[in-house]
Amino acid sequence: MSLAIIYELRAADVKEEHIEQIMDKIKNRLSEENIDKELVKLGYPKIFTVDYDDYDNFDYDDSFTPNSKSNFEEE
């Protein structure tokens, strides 16, 4: 077992029995994606991967134009 992975799981407050369960289940196909899949199945949030599609819902203001004065200029 990778100690770094176990450390990260413990830091994320994953229960010890769930850590053992996850590591036993994915021991032959150890990857960040597989760990996160098992975490989600157990009700935990993903720790090692990011779904960038979830970030498409942000409301960006494309018309924003910064003030012409720099932060160092006095008004």
Side-chain angles (χ1 to χ4, degrees), residues 9-10 12-22 44:
L9 291 170
R10 286 179 179 157
D13 293 326
V14 176
K15 293 180 182 179
E16 286 295 322
E17 60 266 17
H18 289 157
I19 293 173
E20 290 177 25
Q21 180 181 351
I22 291 168
Y44 294 99

Side-chain angles (χ1 to χ4, degrees), residues 59-74:
D59 187 24
Y60 293 107
D61 184 5
D62 291 336
S63 65
F64 175 77
T65 54
N67 189 349
S68 61
K69 292 183 180 182
S70 73
N71 290 339
F72 300 107
E73 292 180 18
E74 293 184 22

Side-chain angles (χ1 to χ4, degrees), residues 30-46:
L30 185 63
S31 72
E32 294 171 342
E33 293 83 13
N34 288 338
I35 294 170
D36 278 347
K37 285 178 187 177
E38 295 302 320
L39 284 169
V40 170
K41 287 179 186 177
L42 293 170
Y44 294 99
K46 292 181 179 183

Side-chain angles (χ1 to χ4, degrees), residues 1-9 19 23 30 35 48:
M1 284 192 257
S2 174
L3 294 177
I5 292 171
I6 293 172
Y7 175 79
E8 290 295 328
L9 291 170
I19 293 173
M23 298 306 285
L30 185 63
I35 294 170
F48 300 101

